[in-house]
PDB file of all heavy atoms in Angstrom:
ATOM      1  N   PHE O   1       0.849  -1.208  -0.065  1.00 96.00           N
ATOM      2  CA  PHE O   1       0.006   0.003   0.001  1.00 96.00           C
ATOM      3  C   PHE O   1       0.849   1.235   0.023  1.00 96.00           C
ATOM      4  O   PHE O   1       1.943   1.238   0.588  1.00 96.00           O
ATOM      5  CB  PHE O   1      -0.851   0.010   1.222  1.00 96.00           C
ATOM      6  CG  PHE O   1      -1.864  -1.115   1.334  1.00 96.00           C
ATOM      7  CD1 PHE O   1      -2.009  -1.814   2.530  1.00 96.00           C
ATOM      8  CD2 PHE O   1      -2.485  -1.548   0.258  1.00 96.00           C
ATOM      9  CE1 PHE O   1      -2.884  -2.841   2.698  1.00 96.00           C
ATOM     10  CE2 PHE O   1      -3.511  -2.596   0.266  1.00 96.00           C
ATOM     11  CZ  PHE O   1      -3.634  -3.270   1.524  1.00 96.00           C
ATOM     12  N   VAL O   2       0.346   2.294  -0.622  1.00 97.00           N
ATOM     13  CA  VAL O   2       0.995   3.611  -0.669  1.00 97.00           C
ATOM     14  C   VAL O   2       0.016   4.639  -0.064  1.00 97.00           C
ATOM     15  O   VAL O   2      -1.152   4.714  -0.639  1.00 97.00           O
ATOM     16  CB  VAL O   2       1.543   4.060  -2.009  1.00 97.00           C
ATOM     17  CG1 VAL O   2       1.909   5.504  -1.944  1.00 97.00           C
ATOM     18  CG2 VAL O   2       2.599   3.221  -2.604  1.00 97.00           C
ATOM     19  N   PHE O   3       0.290   5.219   0.919  1.00 97.00           N
ATOM     20  CA  PHE O   3      -0.539   6.185   1.631  1.00 97.00           C
ATOM     21  C   PHE O   3       0.096   7.657   1.408  1.00 97.00           C
ATOM     22  O   PHE O   3       1.286   7.751   1.689  1.00 97.00           O
ATOM     23  CB  PHE O   3      -0.619   5.932   3.141  1.00 97.00           C
ATOM     24  CG  PHE O   3      -1.330   4.607   3.501  1.00 97.00           C
ATOM     25  CD1 PHE O   3      -0.451   3.645   3.801  1.00 97.00           C
ATOM     26  CD2 PHE O   3      -2.653   4.416   3.442  1.00 97.00           C
ATOM     27  CE1 PHE O   3      -1.122   2.371   4.157  1.00 97.00           C
ATOM     28  CE2 PHE O   3      -3.268   3.245   3.696  1.00 97.00           C
ATOM     29  CZ  PHE O   3      -2.414   2.166   3.993  1.00 97.00           C
ATOM     30  N   LEU O   4      -0.849   8.476   0.892  1.00 97.00           N
ATOM     31  CA  LEU O   4      -0.253   9.973   0.695  1.00 97.00           C
ATOM     32  C   LEU O   4      -0.891  10.769   1.647  1.00 97.00           C
ATOM     33  O   LEU O   4      -1.983  10.871   1.918  1.00 97.00           O
ATOM     34  CB  LEU O   4      -0.893  10.326  -0.673  1.00 97.00           C
ATOM     35  CG  LEU O   4      -0.451  11.754  -1.188  1.00 97.00           C
ATOM     36  CD1 LEU O   4       1.081  12.043  -1.204  1.00 97.00           C
ATOM     37  CD2 LEU O   4      -0.993  12.054  -2.561  1.00 97.00           C
ATOM     38  N   ILE O   5       0.021  11.485   2.398  1.00 96.00           N
ATOM     39  CA  ILE O   5      -0.395  12.536   3.397  1.00 96.00           C
ATOM     40  C   ILE O   5      -0.103  13.894   2.800  1.00 96.00           C
ATOM     41  O   ILE O   5       1.093  14.189   2.612  1.00 96.00           O
ATOM     42  CB  ILE O   5       0.439  12.365   4.715  1.00 96.00           C
ATOM     43  CG1 ILE O   5       0.145  10.916   5.275  1.00 96.00           C
ATOM     44  CG2 ILE O   5       0.058  13.423   5.701  1.00 96.00           C
ATOM     45  CD1 ILE O   5       0.859  10.593   6.594  1.00 96.00           C
ATOM     46  N   MET O   6      -1.113  14.631   2.796  1.00 93.00           N
ATOM     47  CA  MET O   6      -1.009  16.142   2.259  1.00 93.00           C
ATOM     48  C   MET O   6      -1.375  16.948   3.455  1.00 93.00           C
ATOM     49  O   MET O   6      -2.333  16.866   4.131  1.00 93.00           O
ATOM     50  CB  MET O   6      -1.960  16.360   1.094  1.00 93.00           C
ATOM     51  CG  MET O   6      -1.496  15.491  -0.125  1.00 93.00           C
ATOM     52  SD  MET O   6      -2.562  15.824  -1.540  1.00 93.00           S
ATOM     53  CE  MET O   6      -2.091  17.576  -1.986  1.00 93.00           C
ATOM     54  N   THR O   7      -0.453  17.912   3.605  1.00 81.00           N
ATOM     55  CA  THR O   7      -0.679  18.958   4.773  1.00 81.00           C
ATOM     56  C   THR O   7      -1.012  20.335   4.350  1.00 81.00           C
ATOM     57  O   THR O   7      -0.924  21.294   5.117  1.00 81.00           O
ATOM     58  CB  THR O   7       0.699  19.057   5.531  1.00 81.00           C
ATOM     59  OG1 THR O   7       1.746  19.509   4.794  1.00 81.00           O
ATOM     60  CG2 THR O   7       1.002  17.634   6.133  1.00 81.00           C
ATOM     61  N   GLY O   8      -1.361  20.572   2.968  1.00 67.00           N
ATOM     62  CA  GLY O   8      -1.615  21.778   2.498  1.00 67.00           C
ATOM     63  C   GLY O   8      -0.364  22.658   2.156  1.00 67.00           C
ATOM     64  O   GLY O   8       0.698  22.198   2.552  1.00 67.00           O
ATOM     65  N   SER O   9      -0.582  23.738   1.535  1.00 56.00           N
ATOM     66  CA  SER O   9       0.595  24.478   1.078  1.00 56.00           C
ATOM     67  C   SER O   9       1.496  25.037   2.249  1.00 56.00           C
ATOM     68  O   SER O   9       2.619  25.239   2.162  1.00 56.00           O
ATOM     69  CB  SER O   9       0.292  25.598   0.126  1.00 56.00           C
ATOM     70  OG  SER O   9      -0.620  26.571   0.873  1.00 56.00           O
ATOM     71  N   MET O  10       0.793  25.078   3.484  1.00 57.00           N
ATOM     72  CA  MET O  10       1.439  25.664   4.614  1.00 57.00           C
ATOM     73  C   MET O  10       2.103  24.608   5.526  1.00 57.00           C
ATOM     74  O   MET O  10       2.722  24.865   6.557  1.00 57.00           O
ATOM     75  CB  MET O  10       0.610  26.551   5.393  1.00 57.00           C
ATOM     76  CG  MET O  10      -0.028  27.720   4.607  1.00 57.00           C
ATOM     77  SD  MET O  10      -1.355  28.520   5.554  1.00 57.00           S
ATOM     78  CE  MET O  10      -2.631  27.252   5.547  1.00 57.00           C
ATOM     79  N   GLY O  11       1.824  23.313   5.228  1.00 52.00           N
ATOM     80  CA  GLY O  11       2.272  22.249   6.124  1.00 52.00           C
ATOM     81  C   GLY O  11       1.596  22.286   7.522  1.00 52.00           C
ATOM     82  O   GLY O  11       2.180  22.195   8.468  1.00 52.00           O
ATOM     83  N   TYR O  12       0.268  22.195   7.494  1.00 57.00           N
ATOM     84  CA  TYR O  12      -0.528  22.352   8.655  1.00 57.00           C
ATOM     85  C   TYR O  12      -0.723  20.865   9.235  1.00 57.00           C
ATOM     86  O   TYR O  12      -0.821  19.969   8.606  1.00 57.00           O
ATOM     87  CB  TYR O  12      -1.897  22.906   8.352  1.00 57.00           C
ATOM     88  CG  TYR O  12      -2.817  22.897   9.515  1.00 57.00           C
ATOM     89  CD1 TYR O  12      -2.775  23.961  10.600  1.00 57.00           C
ATOM     90  CD2 TYR O  12      -3.862  21.952   9.671  1.00 57.00           C
ATOM     91  CE1 TYR O  12      -3.621  23.926  11.618  1.00 57.00           C
ATOM     92  CE2 TYR O  12      -4.738  21.880  10.761  1.00 57.00           C
ATOM     93  CZ  TYR O  12      -4.562  22.868  11.730  1.00 57.00           C
ATOM     94  OH  TYR O  12      -5.429  23.009  12.809  1.00 57.00           O
ATOM     95  N   GLY O  13      -0.874  20.939  10.648  1.00 58.00           N
ATOM     96  CA  GLY O  13      -1.139  19.624  11.394  1.00 58.00           C
ATOM     97  C   GLY O  13      -0.086  19.017  12.136  1.00 58.00           C
ATOM     98  O   GLY O  13       1.175  19.349  11.994  1.00 58.00           O
ATOM     99  N   HIS O  14      -0.374  17.966  12.818  1.00 78.00           N
ATOM    100  CA  HIS O  14       0.606  17.276  13.639  1.00 78.00           C
ATOM    101  C   HIS O  14       1.008  16.055  12.844  1.00 78.00           C
ATOM    102  O   HIS O  14       0.726  14.830  13.144  1.00 78.00           O
ATOM    103  CB  HIS O  14       0.094  16.771  14.970  1.00 78.00           C
ATOM    104  CG  HIS O  14      -0.386  18.017  15.942  1.00 78.00           C
ATOM    105  ND1 HIS O  14       0.485  18.921  16.391  1.00 78.00           N
ATOM    106  CD2 HIS O  14      -1.661  18.377  16.353  1.00 78.00           C
ATOM    107  CE1 HIS O  14      -0.269  19.864  17.105  1.00 78.00           C
ATOM    108  NE2 HIS O  14      -1.519  19.611  16.986  1.00 78.00           N
ATOM    109  N   THR O  15       1.755  16.301  11.769  1.00 89.00           N
ATOM    110  CA  THR O  15       2.281  15.311  10.821  1.00 89.00           C
ATOM    111  C   THR O  15       3.016  14.254  11.309  1.00 89.00           C
ATOM    112  O   THR O  15       2.830  13.048  11.016  1.00 89.00           O
ATOM    113  CB  THR O  15       2.861  16.007   9.503  1.00 89.00           C
ATOM    114  OG1 THR O  15       1.972  17.110   9.186  1.00 89.00           O
ATOM    115  CG2 THR O  15       3.003  15.025   8.486  1.00 89.00           C
ATOM    116  N   ALA O  16       4.068  14.550  12.195  1.00 89.00           N
ATOM    117  CA  ALA O  16       4.833  13.528  12.718  1.00 89.00           C
ATOM    118  C   ALA O  16       4.085  12.478  13.457  1.00 89.00           C
ATOM    119  O   ALA O  16       4.496  11.263  13.325  1.00 89.00           O
ATOM    120  CB  ALA O  16       5.964  14.197  13.709  1.00 89.00           C
ATOM    121  N   GLY O  17       3.220  12.890  14.299  1.00 91.00           N
ATOM    122  CA  GLY O  17       2.389  11.938  14.939  1.00 91.00           C
ATOM    123  C   GLY O  17       1.578  10.972  14.054  1.00 91.00           C
ATOM    124  O   GLY O  17       1.394   9.743  14.313  1.00 91.00           O
ATOM    125  N   LEU O  18       1.185  11.449  12.960  1.00 93.00           N
ATOM    126  CA  LEU O  18       0.458  10.662  11.957  1.00 93.00           C
ATOM    127  C   LEU O  18       1.422   9.744  11.304  1.00 93.00           C
ATOM    128  O   LEU O  18       1.029   8.482  11.115  1.00 93.00           O
ATOM    129  CB  LEU O  18      -0.184  11.638  10.848  1.00 93.00           C
ATOM    130  CG  LEU O  18      -1.148  10.970   9.802  1.00 93.00           C
ATOM    131  CD1 LEU O  18      -2.140  10.109  10.470  1.00 93.00           C
ATOM    132  CD2 LEU O  18      -1.658  12.003   8.816  1.00 93.00           C
ATOM    133  N   VAL O  19       2.565  10.063  10.911  1.00 93.00           N
ATOM    134  CA  VAL O  19       3.575   9.258  10.284  1.00 93.00           C
ATOM    135  C   VAL O  19       3.917   8.088  11.307  1.00 93.00           C
ATOM    136  O   VAL O  19       3.925   6.906  11.033  1.00 93.00           O
ATOM    137  CB  VAL O  19       4.838   9.951   9.890  1.00 93.00           C
ATOM    138  CG1 VAL O  19       5.846   9.043   9.296  1.00 93.00           C
ATOM    139  CG2 VAL O  19       4.437  10.915   8.829  1.00 93.00           C
ATOM    140  N   ASP O  20       4.064   8.465  12.617  1.00 93.00           N
ATOM    141  CA  ASP O  20       4.399   7.566  13.593  1.00 93.00           C
ATOM    142  C   ASP O  20       3.310   6.436  13.715  1.00 93.00           C
ATOM    143  O   ASP O  20       3.616   5.339  13.956  1.00 93.00           O
ATOM    144  CB  ASP O  20       4.640   8.249  15.006  1.00 93.00           C
ATOM    145  CG  ASP O  20       5.847   9.062  15.076  1.00 93.00           C
ATOM    146  OD1 ASP O  20       6.724   8.845  14.321  1.00 93.00           O
ATOM    147  OD2 ASP O  20       5.914   9.911  15.926  1.00 93.00           O
ATOM    148  N   ALA O  21       2.020   6.946  13.640  1.00 93.00           N
ATOM    149  CA  ALA O  21       0.909   6.024  13.671  1.00 93.00           C
ATOM    150  C   ALA O  21       0.930   4.934  12.593  1.00 93.00           C
ATOM    151  O   ALA O  21       0.661   3.730  12.810  1.00 93.00           O
ATOM    152  CB  ALA O  21      -0.442   6.744  13.649  1.00 93.00           C
ATOM    153  N   PHE O  22       1.422   5.299  11.485  1.00 93.00           N
ATOM    154  CA  PHE O  22       1.629   4.362  10.373  1.00 93.00           C
ATOM    155  C   PHE O  22       2.769   3.422  10.633  1.00 93.00           C
ATOM    156  O   PHE O  22       2.690   2.258  10.396  1.00 93.00           O
ATOM    157  CB  PHE O  22       1.816   5.203   9.000  1.00 93.00           C
ATOM    158  CG  PHE O  22       0.531   5.626   8.336  1.00 93.00           C
ATOM    159  CD1 PHE O  22      -0.003   6.812   8.561  1.00 93.00           C
ATOM    160  CD2 PHE O  22      -0.154   4.685   7.611  1.00 93.00           C
ATOM    161  CE1 PHE O  22      -1.130   7.222   7.875  1.00 93.00           C
ATOM    162  CE2 PHE O  22      -1.360   4.940   6.986  1.00 93.00           C
ATOM    163  CZ  PHE O  22      -1.908   6.349   7.181  1.00 93.00           C
ATOM    164  N   MET O  23       3.866   3.964  11.124  1.00 92.00           N
ATOM    165  CA  MET O  23       5.045   3.112  11.464  1.00 92.00           C
ATOM    166  C   MET O  23       4.735   2.091  12.415  1.00 92.00           C
ATOM    167  O   MET O  23       5.312   1.136  12.431  1.00 92.00           O
ATOM    168  CB  MET O  23       6.127   4.035  11.871  1.00 92.00           C
ATOM    169  CG  MET O  23       6.647   4.904  10.802  1.00 92.00           C
ATOM    170  SD  MET O  23       7.213   4.196   9.230  1.00 92.00           S
ATOM    171  CE  MET O  23       5.811   4.306   8.237  1.00 92.00           C
ATOM    172  N   GLU O  24       3.811   2.409  13.368  1.00 89.00           N
ATOM    173  CA  GLU O  24       3.455   1.410  14.442  1.00 89.00           C
ATOM    174  C   GLU O  24       2.770   0.164  13.884  1.00 89.00           C
ATOM    175  O   GLU O  24       2.487  -0.872  14.553  1.00 89.00           O
ATOM    176  CB  GLU O  24       2.675   2.073  15.463  1.00 89.00           C
ATOM    177  CG  GLU O  24       3.381   3.078  16.233  1.00 89.00           C
ATOM    178  CD  GLU O  24       2.535   3.866  17.163  1.00 89.00           C
ATOM    179  OE1 GLU O  24       1.329   3.567  17.385  1.00 89.00           O
ATOM    180  OE2 GLU O  24       3.065   4.880  17.885  1.00 89.00           O
ATOM    181  N   ARG O  25       2.214   0.312  12.612  1.00 81.00           N
ATOM    182  CA  ARG O  25       1.372  -0.745  12.217  1.00 81.00           C
ATOM    183  C   ARG O  25       2.152  -1.764  11.246  1.00 81.00           C
ATOM    184  O   ARG O  25       1.659  -2.684  10.623  1.00 81.00           O
ATOM    185  CB  ARG O  25       0.204  -0.141  11.203  1.00 81.00           C
ATOM    186  CG  ARG O  25      -0.659   0.748  12.041  1.00 81.00           C
ATOM    187  CD  ARG O  25      -1.880   1.173  11.204  1.00 81.00           C
ATOM    188  NE  ARG O  25      -2.671   0.167  10.925  1.00 81.00           N
ATOM    189  CZ  ARG O  25      -3.762  -0.355  11.585  1.00 81.00           C
ATOM    190  NH1 ARG O  25      -3.990   0.353  12.745  1.00 81.00           N
ATOM    191  NH2 ARG O  25      -4.506  -1.330  11.227  1.00 81.00           N
ATOM    192  N   GLY O  26       3.536  -1.741  11.446  1.00 71.00           N
ATOM    193  CA  GLY O  26       4.257  -2.834  10.743  1.00 71.00           C
ATOM    194  C   GLY O  26       4.678  -2.444   9.348  1.00 71.00           C
ATOM    195  O   GLY O  26       4.409  -1.353   8.848  1.00 71.00           O
ATOM    196  N   GLU O  27       5.426  -3.367   8.656  1.00 77.00           N
ATOM    197  CA  GLU O  27       6.014  -3.018   7.451  1.00 77.00           C
ATOM    198  C   GLU O  27       5.038  -3.410   6.320  1.00 77.00           C
ATOM    199  O   GLU O  27       3.923  -3.981   6.517  1.00 77.00           O
ATOM    200  CB  GLU O  27       7.332  -3.875   7.243  1.00 77.00           C
ATOM    201  CG  GLU O  27       8.359  -3.494   8.302  1.00 77.00           C
ATOM    202  CD  GLU O  27       9.718  -4.197   8.098  1.00 77.00           C
ATOM    203  OE1 GLU O  27       9.713  -5.041   7.161  1.00 77.00           O
ATOM    204  OE2 GLU O  27      10.612  -4.034   8.858  1.00 77.00           O
ATOM    205  N   GLY O  28       5.556  -3.241   5.005  1.00 84.00           N
ATOM    206  CA  GLY O  28       4.740  -3.574   3.952  1.00 84.00           C
ATOM    207  C   GLY O  28       3.991  -2.436   3.370  1.00 84.00           C
ATOM    208  O   GLY O  28       3.173  -2.705   2.391  1.00 84.00           O
ATOM    209  N   SER O  29       4.187  -1.169   3.755  1.00 93.00           N
ATOM    210  CA  SER O  29       3.447  -0.051   3.176  1.00 93.00           C
ATOM    211  C   SER O  29       4.420   1.128   3.070  1.00 93.00           C
ATOM    212  O   SER O  29       5.445   1.115   3.785  1.00 93.00           O
ATOM    213  CB  SER O  29       2.273   0.305   4.037  1.00 93.00           C
ATOM    214  OG  SER O  29       2.550   0.699   5.254  1.00 93.00           O
ATOM    215  N   THR O  30       4.030   2.069   2.318  1.00 95.00           N
ATOM    216  CA  THR O  30       4.893   3.195   2.067  1.00 95.00           C
ATOM    217  C   THR O  30       4.055   4.553   2.407  1.00 95.00           C
ATOM    218  O   THR O  30       2.963   4.584   1.948  1.00 95.00           O
ATOM    219  CB  THR O  30       5.412   3.387   0.698  1.00 95.00           C
ATOM    220  OG1 THR O  30       6.197   2.263   0.380  1.00 95.00           O
ATOM    221  CG2 THR O  30       6.367   4.601   0.535  1.00 95.00           C
ATOM    222  N   VAL O  31       4.702   5.481   3.131  1.00 96.00           N
ATOM    223  CA  VAL O  31       3.943   6.626   3.367  1.00 96.00           C
ATOM    224  C   VAL O  31       4.649   7.866   2.673  1.00 96.00           C
ATOM    225  O   VAL O  31       5.941   8.002   2.944  1.00 96.00           O
ATOM    226  CB  VAL O  31       3.907   6.986   4.865  1.00 96.00           C
ATOM    227  CG1 VAL O  31       3.160   8.313   5.128  1.00 96.00           C
ATOM    228  CG2 VAL O  31       3.116   5.891   5.615  1.00 96.00           C
ATOM    229  N   VAL O  32       3.965   8.576   1.897  1.00 96.00           N
ATOM    230  CA  VAL O  32       4.509   9.691   1.204  1.00 96.00           C
ATOM    231  C   VAL O  32       3.954  10.964   1.895  1.00 96.00           C
ATOM    232  O   VAL O  32       2.655  11.099   1.925  1.00 96.00           O
ATOM    233  CB  VAL O  32       4.141   9.786  -0.400  1.00 96.00           C
ATOM    234  CG1 VAL O  32       4.811  11.089  -1.055  1.00 96.00           C
ATOM    235  CG2 VAL O  32       4.705   8.553  -1.034  1.00 96.00           C
ATOM    236  N   VAL O  33       4.831  11.864   2.378  1.00 95.00           N
ATOM    237  CA  VAL O  33       4.433  13.061   3.165  1.00 95.00           C
ATOM    238  C   VAL O  33       4.690  14.248   2.306  1.00 95.00           C
ATOM    239  O   VAL O  33       5.905  14.500   2.064  1.00 95.00           O
ATOM    240  CB  VAL O  33       4.986  13.138   4.491  1.00 95.00           C
ATOM    241  CG1 VAL O  33       4.406  14.240   5.301  1.00 95.00           C
ATOM    242  CG2 VAL O  33       4.907  11.808   5.191  1.00 95.00           C
ATOM    243  N   MET O  34       3.821  14.973   1.901  1.00 93.00           N
ATOM    244  CA  MET O  34       3.927  16.332   1.376  1.00 93.00           C
ATOM    245  C   MET O  34       3.946  17.471   2.340  1.00 93.00           C
ATOM    246  O   MET O  34       3.022  17.699   3.025  1.00 93.00           O
ATOM    247  CB  MET O  34       2.821  16.566   0.236  1.00 93.00           C
ATOM    248  CG  MET O  34       2.949  15.652  -0.976  1.00 93.00           C
ATOM    249  SD  MET O  34       1.785  16.074  -2.315  1.00 93.00           S
ATOM    250  CE  MET O  34       2.308  14.909  -3.494  1.00 93.00           C
ATOM    251  N   THR O  35       5.126  18.220   2.464  1.00 89.00           N
ATOM    252  CA  THR O  35       5.184  19.164   3.476  1.00 89.00           C
ATOM    253  C   THR O  35       4.931  20.570   3.080  1.00 89.00           C
ATOM    254  O   THR O  35       5.076  21.476   3.822  1.00 89.00           O
ATOM    255  CB  THR O  35       6.605  19.011   4.179  1.00 89.00           C
ATOM    256  OG1 THR O  35       7.628  19.322   3.150  1.00 89.00           O
ATOM    257  CG2 THR O  35       6.831  17.770   4.877  1.00 89.00           C
ATOM    258  N   GLY O  36       4.555  20.777   1.773  1.00 83.00           N
ATOM    259  CA  GLY O  36       4.222  22.026   1.329  1.00 83.00           C
ATOM    260  C   GLY O  36       5.432  22.981   1.354  1.00 83.00           C
ATOM    261  O   GLY O  36       6.653  22.575   1.175  1.00 83.00           O
ATOM    262  N   HIS O  37       5.254  24.268   1.724  1.00 82.00           N
ATOM    263  CA  HIS O  37       6.380  25.218   1.856  1.00 82.00           C
ATOM    264  C   HIS O  37       6.840  25.351   3.276  1.00 82.00           C
ATOM    265  O   HIS O  37       7.621  26.122   3.641  1.00 82.00           O
ATOM    266  CB  HIS O  37       5.778  26.652   1.451  1.00 82.00           C
ATOM    267  CG  HIS O  37       5.459  26.663   0.002  1.00 82.00           C
ATOM    268  ND1 HIS O  37       6.388  26.629  -1.089  1.00 82.00           N
ATOM    269  CD2 HIS O  37       4.283  26.855  -0.640  1.00 82.00           C
ATOM    270  CE1 HIS O  37       5.859  26.707  -2.164  1.00 82.00           C
ATOM    271  NE2 HIS O  37       4.572  26.870  -2.031  1.00 82.00           N
ATOM    272  N   ASN O  38       6.392  24.470   4.125  1.00 83.00           N
ATOM    273  CA  ASN O  38       6.730  24.311   5.561  1.00 83.00           C
ATOM    274  C   ASN O  38       8.135  23.704   5.817  1.00 83.00           C
ATOM    275  O   ASN O  38       8.226  22.497   6.024  1.00 83.00           O
ATOM    276  CB  ASN O  38       5.639  23.769   6.420  1.00 83.00           C
ATOM    277  CG  ASN O  38       5.884  24.066   7.842  1.00 83.00           C
ATOM    278  OD1 ASN O  38       7.024  24.172   8.459  1.00 83.00           O
ATOM    279  ND2 ASN O  38       4.784  24.046   8.635  1.00 83.00           N
ATOM    280  N   GLU O  39       9.180  24.562   5.823  1.00 87.00           N
ATOM    281  CA  GLU O  39      10.613  24.003   5.900  1.00 87.00           C
ATOM    282  C   GLU O  39      10.786  23.395   7.338  1.00 87.00           C
ATOM    283  O   GLU O  39      11.554  22.451   7.538  1.00 87.00           O
ATOM    284  CB  GLU O  39      11.580  24.977   5.544  1.00 87.00           C
ATOM    285  CG  GLU O  39      11.665  25.367   4.051  1.00 87.00           C
ATOM    286  CD  GLU O  39      11.904  24.052   3.215  1.00 87.00           C
ATOM    287  OE1 GLU O  39      12.889  23.270   3.610  1.00 87.00           O
ATOM    288  OE2 GLU O  39      11.378  24.011   2.177  1.00 87.00           O
ATOM    289  N   SER O  40      10.155  23.980   8.382  1.00 86.00           N
ATOM    290  CA  SER O  40      10.309  23.512   9.735  1.00 86.00           C
ATOM    291  C   SER O  40       9.662  22.175   9.848  1.00 86.00           C
ATOM    292  O   SER O  40      10.275  21.305  10.567  1.00 86.00           O
ATOM    293  CB  SER O  40       9.766  24.534  10.662  1.00 86.00           C
ATOM    294  OG  SER O  40       8.318  24.676  10.458  1.00 86.00           O
ATOM    295  N   LEU O  41       8.588  21.955   9.214  1.00 88.00           N
ATOM    296  CA  LEU O  41       7.975  20.597   9.251  1.00 88.00           C
ATOM    297  C   LEU O  41       8.804  19.516   8.532  1.00 88.00           C
ATOM    298  O   LEU O  41       8.975  18.504   9.043  1.00 88.00           O
ATOM    299  CB  LEU O  41       6.655  20.681   8.528  1.00 88.00           C
ATOM    300  CG  LEU O  41       5.864  19.425   8.469  1.00 88.00           C
ATOM    301  CD1 LEU O  41       5.702  18.593   9.784  1.00 88.00           C
ATOM    302  CD2 LEU O  41       4.555  19.418   7.660  1.00 88.00           C
ATOM    303  N   ARG O  42       9.350  19.971   7.293  1.00 89.00           N
ATOM    304  CA  ARG O  42      10.195  18.976   6.697  1.00 89.00           C
ATOM    305  C   ARG O  42      11.484  18.649   7.538  1.00 89.00           C
ATOM    306  O   ARG O  42      11.732  17.501   7.650  1.00 89.00           O
ATOM    307  CB  ARG O  42      10.725  19.747   5.372  1.00 89.00           C
ATOM    308  CG  ARG O  42      11.663  18.783   4.558  1.00 89.00           C
ATOM    309  CD  ARG O  42      12.037  19.575   3.314  1.00 89.00           C
ATOM    310  NE  ARG O  42      13.035  18.768   2.470  1.00 89.00           N
ATOM    311  CZ  ARG O  42      13.667  19.334   1.453  1.00 89.00           C
ATOM    312  NH1 ARG O  42      13.593  20.572   1.204  1.00 89.00           N
ATOM    313  NH2 ARG O  42      14.486  18.541   0.863  1.00 89.00           N
ATOM    314  N   ALA O  43      12.076  19.615   8.237  1.00 90.00           N
ATOM    315  CA  ALA O  43      13.172  19.379   8.998  1.00 90.00           C
ATOM    316  C   ALA O  43      12.885  18.507  10.229  1.00 90.00           C
ATOM    317  O   ALA O  43      13.586  17.644  10.641  1.00 90.00           O
ATOM    318  CB  ALA O  43      13.828  20.801   9.536  1.00 90.00           C
TER     319      ALA O  43
END
């Protein structure tokens, strides 16, 4: 499975917690995270 997470152009929301929730569910899937223009979120 490929899951796409979009945070808007500003990178809104608690994205790290969402990615962590996916990682807790084991292997076999890929998460693509779009951070928009939010450089602090990307970092």
Side-chain angles (χ1 to χ4, degrees):
F1 299 134
V2 172
F3 299 100
L4 176 61
I5 298 175
M6 296 183 66
T7 62
S9 61
M10 301 170 294
Y12 174 81
H14 302 293
T15 309
L18 182 55
V19 177
D20 289 341
F22 275 98
M23 295 301 98
E24 290 172 4
R25 299 187 66 89
E27 299 182 359
S29 63
T30 302
V31 178
V32 178
V33 189
M34 292 184 175
T35 58
H37 295 292
N38 192 327
E39 289 301 318
S40 62
L41 173 59
R42 181 184 177 189

